[in-house]
Amino acid sequence: MLHLPKIVDLLAELQKQEKEIQEMILEESFASPEQRLVQLESVTSRMHQYHSRREDILLSLEEELGKYEYSTRVVKRVAQMHIQLKSSNKALDFLYKINICSICDLKCESHGRHSMVSLRCGHLFGRHCINNVLRESSRCPTCSRAARQHEVRRIYGLHFYPI
């Protein structure tokens, strides 16, 4: 997925070509004008080849950089999606905790002796546990507000939450 090695190779090839061009320019010849003309024609031909190759390298480099930028955008998007997924998982984890009795820390049933109930203050408990607490203190064990047996309300729809 990473295109860095290809980009590094292309840049190295460009540097090598630049060095060869510099060496060609520095070549001095004390030859006759005819030989110098042949030499200049050869250098001109090589320069055209270098120019053509340089254009190919630059196009390849541009293409690879585009891939790298696309990969970077994809990686950033995947990271954003990962953060969103973690947030969703936290919300789902809460759904697993919502059917836990805050007195005994056991899972409440959708029906039966330990079904989920709430008090007027909104706190949730298992029916069996809160009935025992209210017989002794007539107060919510979470917030200490006054509570009575007839204020206990069953929570319906618990079967929609994950088990």
Side-chain angles (χ1 to χ4, degrees):
M1 185 163 174
L2 284 178
H3 305 280
L4 285 178
K6 179 78 172 176
I7 293 170
V8 169
D9 291 345
L10 289 169
L11 289 172
E13 191 172 342
L14 276 175
Q15 287 175 340
K16 178 183 170 193
Q17 187 183 50
E18 192 70 32
K19 187 176 178 182
E20 289 175 1
I21 290 172
Q22 289 298 326
E23 288 172 0
M24 254 194 324
I25 292 172
L26 293 177
E27 286 179 6
E28 269 192 50
S29 174
F30 298 105
S32 69
E34 293 84 21
Q35 290 174 333
R36 184 75 178 136
L37 182 63
V38 170
Q39 199 175 32
L40 285 174
E41 286 174 349
S42 170
V43 166
T44 303
S45 173
R46 285 174 39 202
M47 289 296 259
H48 285 297
Q49 289 174 345
Y50 280 132
H51 179 70
S52 174
R53 180 64 188 137
R54 184 178 186 89
E55 285 181 345
D56 291 343
I57 291 171
L58 290 173
L59 283 173
S60 296
L61 188 58
E62 189 176 311
E63 182 181 308
E64 291 301 317
L65 285 173
K67 290 177 185 176
Y68 178 72
E69 289 171 3
Y70 174 76
S71 296
T72 303
R73 287 192 306 268
V74 168
V75 167
K76 285 180 182 176
R77 181 65 183 133
V78 167
Q80 288 173 339
M81 291 171 69
H82 179 69
I83 290 168
Q84 290 172 343
L85 183 63
K86 284 175 72 175
S87 175
S88 296
N89 282 343
K90 283 183 182 178
L92 287 173
D93 287 346
F94 176 73
L95 291 178
Y96 281 99
K97 292 178 184 175
I98 202 166
N99 63 353
I100 302 293
C101 172
S102 58
I103 296 172
C104 69
D105 283 333
L106 294 177
K107 188 177 144 208
C108 293
E109 306 161 351
S110 55
H111 301 293
R113 184 173 175 217
H114 203 253
S115 59
M116 178 73 62
V117 296
S118 75
L119 296 177
R120 190 166 48 170
C121 60
H123 292 110
L124 302 173
F125 308 98
R127 186 172 55 98
H128 177 72
C129 293
I130 195 62
N131 286 338
N132 290 340
V133 169
L134 291 178
R135 275 190 218 114
E136 294 177 17
S137 72
S138 296
R139 296 213 168 269
C140 172
T142 304
C143 66
S144 299
R145 281 183 65 184
R148 297 196 176 139
Q149 202 76 28
H150 69 278
E151 295 171 346
V152 173
R153 300 287 181 249
R154 182 164 180 256
I155 303 296
Y156 293 94
L158 194 59
H159 62 281
F160 291 116
Y161 288 100
I163 297 174

